[in-house]
Amino acid sequence: MPLASTVRPIRSGRPSRIRSSRRAVGVALAAVLAIGLSACAPDAVSDSFLSGDNTGYVAADGAIVEIPVAERGEPVAFGGVTEDGEDFDSADIAGKVTVVNFWYAGCAPCRLEAKDLETVWQEQGGDGVAFVGINTRDQADTAKAFSAEFGVTYPSLIDVDTAEAKLAFAEVVPIQATPTTLVLDKQGRVAAKIIGPIDSTSILSTLVKDALAEDS
């Protein structure tokens, strides 16, 4: 049974006066850049997130958030175009438990978790479970090259130009880092969120099985 509003840490596989003045400026600038690079958008509907400028990601120290049925928001209706140019609408997978993974090719943790995601998809994908990626930064050719390299077979929406899918989820749950993986229940509501890369296949498998076991 999912734990009520549980947050669990993910375990892992976050000599002149002029020269002196210039050195001080350089140190200050480095500090500012370090802060900027380490920070993620505080909210999914922030300008930087919606414009695709949020390049922050969680390297290892994420968390799992499980949402009790009574506390889940509205079903998320989302869609877009896949890397193969095919139209996708969440209505096409209505009634299924759905894993939604936010990613992009240059995100190091996304590369680390790709094979684990594919493993869970191969084990549990089918009539009752769907997997959909949402690529937040790349064009189709880059996304397809990533899938070929890591053996990913489920589709991804290319969302960089329209932000259509990102906005649909931002209205329900904040997406503060890449990667983030959501598990949607059979009604399309967010049942669980993994912030950062999945630590192992067992974590995601358990969340999917929990959602499958629910009556509604």
Side-chain angles (χ1 to χ4, degrees):
M1 293 290 292
L3 300 178
S5 300
T6 299
V7 178
R8 292 179 284 165
I10 288 182
R11 301 179 300 279
S12 302
R14 96 192 185 124
S16 67
R17 180 176 301 176
I18 293 176
R19 289 178 180 173
S20 297
S21 176
R22 287 176 177 172
R23 188 179 300 111
V25 170
V27 170
L29 179 58
V32 170
L33 290 174
I35 293 171
L37 290 174
S38 63
C40 294
D43 188 278
V45 295
S46 66
D47 291 341
S48 63
F49 182 80
L50 293 178
S51 66
D53 292 336
N54 176 28
T55 58
Y57 56 77
V58 175
D61 53 345
I64 303 169
V65 180
E66 297 179 75
I67 305 171
V69 174
E71 298 177 15
R72 293 174 193 169
E74 295 297 317
V76 181
F78 66 102
V81 178
T82 72
E83 68 268 70
D84 292 323
E86 298 179 355
D87 291 331
F88 172 88
D89 192 307
S90 57
D92 298 335
I93 54 174
K96 294 186 177 185
V97 170
T98 303
V99 175
V100 180
N101 177 251
F102 290 81
W103 69 283
Y104 61 91
C107 160
C110 300
R111 301 172 75 85
L112 291 174
E113 72 172 3
K115 291 184 178 180
D116 285 342
L117 287 164
E118 177 65 20
T119 295
V120 179
W121 162 241
Q122 291 296 332
E123 291 175 352
Q124 299 198 33
D127 291 340
V129 178
F131 269 57
V132 181
I134 296 179
N135 188 303
T136 60
R137 294 186 62 82
D138 303 319
Q139 297 296 338
D141 287 346
T142 301
K144 286 194 287 188
F146 180 99
S147 294
E149 179 179 357
F150 293 98
V152 177
T153 60
Y154 56 84
S156 281
L157 306 183
I158 303 303
D159 206 46
V160 62
D161 294 325
T162 66
E164 177 183 352
K166 288 189 295 185
L167 183 57
F169 281 96
E171 293 176 351
V172 177
V173 61
I175 306 297
Q176 297 174 311
T178 306
T180 289
T181 300
L182 306 177
V183 177
L184 310 184
D185 64 17
K186 298 170 187 176
Q187 295 185 29
R189 303 171 301 183
V190 178
K193 175 171 67 172
I194 302 175
I195 306 168
I198 64 174
D199 186 55
S200 68
T201 58
S202 62
I203 292 173
L204 182 57
S205 291
T206 298
L207 293 173
V208 170
K209 290 175 181 177
D210 286 347
L212 281 171
E214 294 175 355
D215 293 332
S216 60

